[in-house]
Amino acid sequence: MMRFYTSLAVTTLKKRKLRSWLTMLGIFIGIAAIVSLISLGQGLKTAIGAQFAALGTDRIIVQAKTLSFGPPGQGAVATLTKADVNEVEKVSGVDRVATRLIKSAKVDFNEHTQFTFVGSMPKESDGRKLIEEMFRLRTVEGRLLQQGDQRKMVVGNAYLDDAKFGRALQSGDKVKVNGEVFEVVGVLAKLGQPQFDNIILLPEDAMRNLYDLPEEVSAIVVQSEAGQDPEVVGDRIKRELRKFRDVEENREDFTVQTSGQLLETLGTVLDIVTAVLAGIAAISLLVGGVGITNTMYTSVLERTSEIGVMKSIGAKNKDVFFIFLIESGLLGVAGGIIGILIGIGLSKTVEFIAGQALGTGLVQATFPWYLLVGALVFSFVVGSAAGTFPAMQASRLNPVDALRGA
Amino acid sequence: MFEQALRYAARGLAQRKLRSWLTMLGIFIGIAAVVALVSLSQGLKVAIEEQFSKIGADKIFIQPKGTFGGFESNAGQLTLSDKDRLKRVQGVNEVTTYIIKAGLISLDDENVPVYIAGIPEDHDERDLVIEIGTWEIERGKWFAAGERSKVVVGNDFARTELLSRQLRVGDAVTINGREFEVSGVLKRIGDPSTDGGVFINEQALRDLFKMNDEETSFLGVRVEKGADLALVQERLRRELRKAHNVEEGQEDFEVQSPEELLATFNTIFGIIQAVLIGIASISLLVGGIGIMNTMYTAVLERTQEIGVMKAVGARNRDVLLLFLIESGLLGMAGGAIGIAIGMMLSKGVELVASQAFGSPLIRAFFPFSLIFGALLFAFVVGVASGVLPAYQAARLPPVEALRYE
């Protein structure tokens, strides 16, 4: 019976080709927009997740609490110091600890001036390794910083660009940082994010002298012991630091974040942005649904006498209802399938262009099965929902009036 | 002729009421979404522009370069001797220090991080910094020049937004371990660093953070009446270059007017707005397709009618015009209703926002250009979607059209 309904619906849709196509066009524009937005959003999330996984999920980062708004550069409420680092080292479950100092600096070379971040590399090899692993630091030229380096520096990949200092930096160049001369010993491989590619790394002692900050720490990077739950270790660190800094729970002037939590926060933000954009795009689907309703009402009107014939030879209300409902559901699904295809094409194109133009692997379209199935089901639901009222009207037609073509 | 065509089109639409309504529904959903998004974002833009204009077009900010990304810089540190030098620059009326630090405010057993701004003791400088900050007292008053243990608090502290107890004039609070008495509460301006900030005597702030007496976070400048802002800006730059001993193009400081700051903001804001409106207009495209569909159906249904019209002398052009007017009407009527719904929507958001968050920044704004533009756009969408069907109708051979069943 269902098959009969379906073939009937297909025949009638084919008869009104132009109208069916236009109606489906409305649906597939909407579905294409939603599919491409969500697939790019999800792809971005997956790519970021993969980067985090490479960093390792056993990392914990301790930072001073900062105010997230207002004039930049004044954010830290109460800075962390080396004494805090000592406390963290004592916490059970902590394997390796590295301290980081990050500041902005004025950098002069070849009569050009740049303002950028400088970061310290710990002098202990344990800590230095931890940072190197965490950011996957490799050089494309020269070497990384080593124990015993004093007035040396390693620069980010962005300094290979002539635009920075008039020519690319290379090993042996003497560069002024806040007025003091450092020698470039290596250039980092591209890391992908501007804030990392623009960084300048200095040996910790030299940097502390340069800024006259013997005690301050911008961030403490912790690796938890193998087999320990980083979340649990993070909580322990939080508890110990609370005691040490004499603050109450929930009133901490510092934050302890595990890489898992960071990832979660980032994922939530991305999800919200994707949801807002897809939500606005979904408005067009609503409009497409209204288009289906309209087409179906017209179809009922045109086939009034046909319905009369069906009813007079024994079709029940239910049968007529289903014939029209299936017709509108089909409009939705067919529009949905084409829409999904176009959406996939769109986001693949965006991925390709982004890969070419920005050289970043971050923009990646992913098509999880639930997105494809979800979009298909959704378009079917929109189609049938849009057809409900017209189908009901058709099924309730009085056979005699309908035959007369009223 | 035109009037007649209009009447014919209106009758055609009225006869197919349900279909016309559904077609218009498609347009007005799209127009409503676009109008609501534009009016809210324009409102936000206007509110922020107003705040900037409150600062006044005669002000200039100076900040160290490279204070970005949440990390402190010591490059281009501004000092009090910079201030004194700049005061002597031609065309400068007044220069003030503007110090901001992050601290902790404690009340009962709560601690929250807070921005603390210093108010200079000098009377003229103090007036200038208050003008630049657009800080207005709601209750109480500013502390006098020598009062170093008084504090004026942002509006969030008069609510329970940051601390669970409301602060009132006369209350005692602890800031970075020192006790202060609340002397005034500011009006709400919607900027979190002001509404959630506290303001104390500059010297008290220096003591609290053990700052040396030379440094300042920013400098604020007011130019003399009638002076050319850009010219004074250039002079300030030159003077500071001398003071900091740097060459042109290598400045370790930035000299900006509010207009320049606003321009940067507007650029970013414009991009976000364009993306949102772009996605919202997809629905308008779909609505346009709906009109096209309806018009094709109308042409089909009225084939005989078209045959009769042509038989009694209607030219192709007349038929084309008839259908174009009909689809244009569909678009415009949909647009008008859509604008009304869009306006209600954004007024609703404004109401909810001001009730729930007390934010004066979210408000709906309906410039003439928006309303007129949306209406025109809806009309254009309608006409454009009607072109193909109308063209088809116009080209129908009269004899076949008459015979059409």
Side-chain angles (χ1 to χ4, degrees):
Chain A
M1 196 62 190
M2 210 61 183
R3 247 178 89 179
F4 172 67
Y5 288 154
T6 312
S7 65
L8 192 65
V10 171
T11 323
T12 45
L13 286 178
K14 271 194 189 152
K15 248 192 249 167
R16 291 164 193 80
K17 241 185 209 153
L18 178 68
R19 196 187 300 161
S20 303
W21 274 110
L22 284 175
T23 311
M24 284 191 293
L25 187 62
I27 292 294
F28 67 66
I29 289 173
I31 290 281
I34 292 176
V35 166
S36 56
L37 282 173
I38 293 182
S39 78
L40 286 172
Q42 290 295 313
L44 197 58
K45 203 173 142 183
T46 316
I48 289 173
Q51 284 212 333
F52 262 84
L55 296 184
T57 49
D58 54 352
R59 305 293 146 81
I60 302 162
I61 295 168
V62 185
Q63 280 175 300
K65 194 171 253 176
T66 55
L67 287 162
S68 54
F69 49 77
Q74 323 281 330
V77 176
T79 54
L80 296 171
T81 65
K82 281 183 171 170
D84 295 303
V85 179
N86 289 337
E87 270 325 286
V88 172
E89 275 172 344
K90 282 188 274 180
V91 174
S92 83
V94 168
D95 183 12
R96 290 187 291 178
V97 174
T99 59
R100 301 215 74 197
L101 189 61
I102 299 167
K103 292 281 163 187
S104 60
K106 176 170 172 260
V107 183
D108 297 285
F109 180 70
N110 194 23
E111 314 210 317
H112 286 65
T113 302
Q114 291 287 333
F115 291 88
T116 186
F117 292 120
V118 294
S120 69
M121 282 302 276
K123 60 174 179 240
E124 308 83 12
S125 63
D126 253 11
R128 212 172 45 239
K129 281 237 178 61
L130 181 56
I131 304 282
E132 284 168 8
E133 284 166 21
M134 185 160 163
F135 295 101
R136 284 182 291 170
L137 298 182
R138 287 184 298 109
T139 52
V140 286
E141 197 241 319
R143 59 167 175 88
L144 290 171
L145 289 173
Q146 293 167 354
Q147 196 134 16
D149 280 342
Q150 274 304 322
R151 307 212 140 256
K152 313 280 190 212
M153 67 195 274
V154 167
V155 299
N157 197 270
Y159 296 98
L160 290 180
D161 186 350
D162 291 348
K164 287 276 182 190
F165 289 111
R167 73 166 175 81
L169 285 183
Q170 58 190 45
S171 294
D173 283 340
K174 302 265 197 282
V175 177
K176 265 192 189 168
V177 179
N178 283 359
E180 292 196 29
V181 178
F182 286 80
E183 184 192 337
V184 177
V185 295
V187 180
L188 295 177
K190 195 162 185 158
L191 292 165
Q193 274 167 284
Q195 87 226 50
F196 291 150
D197 285 330
N198 280 301
I199 203 154
I200 287 178
L201 297 172
L202 301 179
E204 185 173 336
D205 284 349
M207 185 164 162
R208 289 198 180 280
N209 285 334
L210 186 65
Y211 283 87
D212 191 21
L213 291 170
E215 290 297 321
E216 191 178 316
V217 172
S218 306
I220 308 174
V221 179
V222 179
Q223 183 177 32
S224 53
E225 274 171 16
Q228 290 266 8
D229 181 356
E231 307 279 329
V232 175
V233 178
D235 282 343
R236 261 186 236 142
I237 293 174
K238 215 171 186 175
R239 195 170 346 115
E240 289 307 315
L241 274 186
R242 258 201 314 266
K243 245 189 273 166
F244 180 66
R245 294 172 73 94
D246 194 24
V247 287
E248 280 173 54
E249 199 165 351
N250 298 325
R251 303 271 174 245
E252 290 96 350
D253 51 4
F254 59 89
T255 59
V256 177
Q257 274 190 306
T258 61
S259 6
Q261 285 166 341
L262 268 175
L263 182 59
E264 227 170 84
T265 317
L266 215 58
T268 314
V269 172
L270 266 176
D271 281 345
I272 293 172
V273 173
T274 310
V276 168
L277 293 182
I280 298 178
I283 297 175
S284 60
L285 209 60
L286 179 67
V287 176
V290 173
I292 293 188
T293 308
N294 213 355
T295 301
M296 291 312 296
Y297 268 124
T298 309
S299 170
V300 172
L301 211 65
E302 284 172 348
R303 278 184 278 163
T304 305
S305 38
E306 207 175 304
I307 294 167
V309 174
M310 283 195 263
K311 284 202 160 180
S312 57
I313 60 173
K316 282 170 285 182
N317 282 5
K318 209 181 67 186
D319 300 322
V320 175
F321 178 78
F322 274 117
I323 289 172
F324 282 90
L325 197 67
I326 288 173
E327 190 172 320
S328 68
L330 266 183
L331 274 175
V333 171
I337 291 173
I338 303 174
I340 288 170
L341 292 179
I342 294 179
I344 291 175
L346 257 178
S347 38
K348 276 285 168 198
T349 312
V350 171
E351 179 189 310
F352 180 74
I353 292 174
Q356 294 287 317
L358 308 173
T360 164
L362 268 183
V363 182
Q364 249 171 22
T366 49
F367 309 99
W369 64 269
Y370 60 82
L371 172 62
L372 304 181
V373 174
L376 206 59
V377 171
F378 191 53
S379 56
F380 177 71
V381 169
V382 167
S384 336
T388 305
F389 282 105
M392 257 161 58
Q393 192 188 16
S395 69
R396 283 193 195 140
L397 282 178
N398 181 325
V400 183
D401 290 342
L403 265 176
R404 240 189 286 141
Chain B
M1 174 60 206
F2 188 76
E3 204 185 315
Q4 217 180 347
L6 202 66
R7 215 174 302 136
Y8 175 81
R11 201 171 35 188
L13 291 177
Q15 259 165 21
R16 291 157 196 88
K17 238 183 212 155
L18 180 67
R19 193 187 306 158
S20 304
W21 274 109
L22 284 174
T23 309
M24 284 192 293
L25 186 61
I27 291 296
F28 67 66
I29 290 172
I31 289 281
V34 171
V35 166
L37 281 173
V38 174
S39 76
L40 284 173
S41 53
Q42 286 297 315
L44 184 61
K45 199 172 142 185
V46 168
I48 286 170
E49 271 168 5
E50 260 170 31
Q51 284 200 350
F52 268 94
S53 73
K54 259 194 217 158
I55 297 173
D58 55 349
K59 308 292 190 312
I60 295 169
F61 298 123
I62 302 169
Q63 57 181 24
K65 203 172 200 166
T67 42
F68 51 9
F71 293 104
E72 249 170 282
S73 161
N74 64 353
Q77 177 71 60
L78 296 167
T79 63
L80 295 198
S81 63
D82 289 335
K83 182 185 79 175
D84 293 335
R85 265 184 105 134
L86 296 184
K87 273 191 184 181
R88 291 194 299 268
V89 168
Q90 195 195 340
V92 167
N93 169 277
E94 186 59 68
V95 183
T96 179
T97 50
Y98 189 160
I99 304 181
I100 295 180
K101 287 282 172 187
L104 273 181
I105 185 166
S106 331
L107 181 70
D108 303 333
D109 53 356
E110 284 182 290
N111 288 314
V112 291
V114 68
Y115 274 113
I116 309 170
I119 306 290
E121 297 210 321
D122 179 276
H123 192 266
D124 293 331
E125 290 186 19
R126 176 189 163 118
D127 283 353
L128 176 54
V129 85
I130 290 173
E131 226 177 292
I132 289 176
T134 67
W135 304 319
E136 285 173 57
I137 289 283
E138 187 175 83
R139 262 167 286 147
K141 59 178 171 38
W142 281 104
F143 37 81
E147 289 183 302
R148 296 192 179 173
S149 54
K150 294 277 176 77
V151 60
V152 167
V153 297
N155 200 271
D156 284 351
F157 292 102
R159 305 156 162 254
T160 51
E161 215 131 307
L162 297 172
L163 294 166
S164 49
R165 182 154 68 86
Q166 293 179 3
L167 282 179
R168 289 198 182 77
V169 175
D171 282 352
V173 287
T174 309
I175 298 169
N176 274 27
R178 264 238 323 256
E179 196 163 290
F180 287 83
E181 184 194 327
V182 177
S183 77
V185 177
L186 293 186
K187 270 192 198 153
R188 190 170 191 79
I189 64 172
D191 166 22
S193 61
T194 296
D195 291 338
V198 299
F199 306 82
I200 62 177
N201 174 289
E202 184 182 307
Q203 201 50 51
L205 183 65
R206 286 183 191 281
D207 294 346
L208 215 51
F209 286 89
K210 301 186 184 65
M211 289 169 72
N212 66 46
D213 287 344
E214 264 292 296
E215 62 178 288
T216 171
S217 319
F218 308 103
L219 287 173
V221 177
R222 178 166 48 215
V223 302
E224 265 169 11
K225 266 208 189 85
D228 180 354
L229 195 74
L231 199 66
V232 176
Q233 239 176 307
E234 205 30 66
R235 281 194 206 121
L236 288 170
R237 249 182 227 127
R238 202 183 318 138
E239 191 62 31
L240 264 184
R241 271 202 299 270
K242 254 189 271 166
H244 287 202
N245 198 18
V246 290
E247 278 174 48
E248 197 164 353
Q250 310 198 352
E251 288 93 345
D252 51 2
F253 54 84
E254 277 174 297
V255 177
Q256 282 188 307
S257 63
E259 272 89 29
E260 287 168 325
L261 288 175
L262 191 60
T264 316
F265 161 79
N266 277 345
T267 313
I268 298 168
F269 195 68
I271 294 171
I272 297 175
Q273 202 181 356
V275 168
L276 289 181
I277 293 167
I279 297 178
S281 8
I282 296 175
S283 57
L284 264 179
L285 177 67
V286 177
I289 293 168
I291 293 188
M292 194 188 288
N293 214 351
T294 300
M295 291 312 295
Y296 268 122
T297 310
V299 172
L300 214 65
E301 284 172 348
R302 279 184 267 167
T303 305
Q304 273 199 349
E305 214 175 308
I306 294 168
V308 173
M309 281 193 267
K310 286 202 160 180
V312 298
R315 281 161 302 172
N316 283 4
R317 229 187 43 200
D318 300 327
V319 177
L320 184 80
L321 195 65
L322 274 182
F323 281 90
L324 274 187
I325 289 176
E326 193 168 321
S327 67
L329 264 183
L330 269 175
M332 205 148 75
I337 302 173
I339 289 169
I341 293 179
M343 286 170 93
M344 283 193 291
L345 257 178
S346 41
K347 274 283 166 199
V349 171
E350 177 189 308
L351 193 73
V352 171
S354 68
Q355 294 285 321
F357 310 115
S359 168
L361 286 181
I362 296 180
R363 59 187 196 200
F365 179 70
F366 308 105
F368 170 75
S369 59
L370 169 63
I371 293 172
F372 185 73
L375 205 60
L376 189 69
F377 190 57
F379 178 72
V380 169
V381 167
V383 171
S385 343
V387 168
L388 289 178
Y391 194 60
Q392 189 188 1
R395 285 203 321 182
L396 281 176
V399 182
E400 271 171 47
L402 270 172
R403 229 193 302 152
Y404 181 84
E405 183 63 37

